[in-house]
Amino acid sequence: MRILLDIDDTLADFFGAMEERLGPAVDDSIENLGLMFPGNELVHYLESDDFHREMLPLDGAVQGVNWLFDAGHHLQYLTARAPELQQLTQEWLDEWGFPKAVLHSVGRDAKKKLLRTERYELMIDDQKRYLRVAHKHGKRTIAMDRPWNANWGGTKLKNWMYIESALQGQL
Ligand SMILES: [Mg+2]
């Protein structure tokens, strides 16, 4: 199966890194960083090399993605991170031992466009704004279970250790 994998809050603990620096989110139920962490210069983090370099993988993500790779699936990474973060993100994936696959670090609009034009069967992401696009184009989706997608009705992945069952539609 051809699978597109998001990075932030799907493979990398972006939200955890934000809370570590800014304290607990005011509201984690809305898919909007400005409302989660009001009054902060978020762009400072979003453009920071160190912030992204120091991010940790989500629990079980390295093992889970390697399991997908070893099972013969064709993977691609697709993130709304800015193109300027492509190389750093590639290094981060390599350093943590994620399997080799094409990485698209393309920004929000291009990510949505690729979701409409790329050939794939399944997308794994945490944000409804992308899950919706994939779903609308008849693709299978698995949502990484996060507070801001609590009302997403499709298949969810609580933790990467359950990826095999999620893929088999048992969750
Ligand atoms: Mg994400």
Side-chain angles (χ1 to χ4, degrees), residues 6 8-10 125-127:
D6 171 46
D8 289 319
D9 287 311
T10 296
D125 204 300
D126 63 292
Q127 297 206 310

Side-chain angles (χ1 to χ4, degrees), residues 44-57:
H44 167 73
Y45 297 100
L46 300 178
E47 292 179 353
S48 158
D49 283 5
D50 286 347
F51 174 72
H52 290 89
R53 200 171 277 126
E54 291 162 13
M55 217 176 279
L56 298 173

Side-chain angles (χ1 to χ4, degrees), residues 6-12 14 78-80 111 124-127 130 144 148:
D6 171 46
I7 294 183
D8 289 319
D9 287 311
T10 296
L11 305 183
F14 176 93
L78 175 57
T79 171
K111 175 169 174 174
I124 307 179
D125 204 300
D126 63 292
Q127 297 206 310
Y130 303 118
M144 199 65 210
W148 47 91

